[in-house]
Amino acid sequence: LLSLLQKWALLALSACSILGCLCCLLGLAVAIGLTLGTQGRALLAPCAGANTALASGSRECPFDPTRVYVS
């Protein structure tokens, strides 16, 4: 009985893991598609300011979105 219970528990945990992985893959695919579809402008959208070069260090944009395209 214990062995059967362990098998079902492993099956349930595996199913949950697969579901979580699929959700992560879907989110990654959406993020990549959004970035490629807008040619990176979606990365600059949270930066509020007329000059996005100056906004990268400001409080409105807590990261440097141009760092992605350096290489």
Side-chain angles (χ1 to χ4, degrees):
L1 183 65
L2 185 61
S3 177
L4 183 62
L5 185 61
Q6 287 176 342
K7 288 179 183 178
W8 280 106
L10 182 63
L11 179 66
L13 289 174
S14 297
C16 290
S17 176
I18 289 171
L19 185 62
C21 287
L22 289 176
C23 290
C24 288
L25 285 174
L26 179 64
L28 181 63
V30 168
I32 290 173
L34 182 64
T35 302
L36 293 178
T38 61
Q39 296 176 351
R41 287 187 301 271
L43 293 173
L44 296 172
C47 299
N51 190 353
T52 57
L54 294 176
S56 65
S58 70
R59 194 175 315 187
E60 290 84 11
C61 191
F63 63 95
D64 184 9
T66 58
R67 181 177 50 213
V68 177
Y69 298 107
V70 168
S71 58

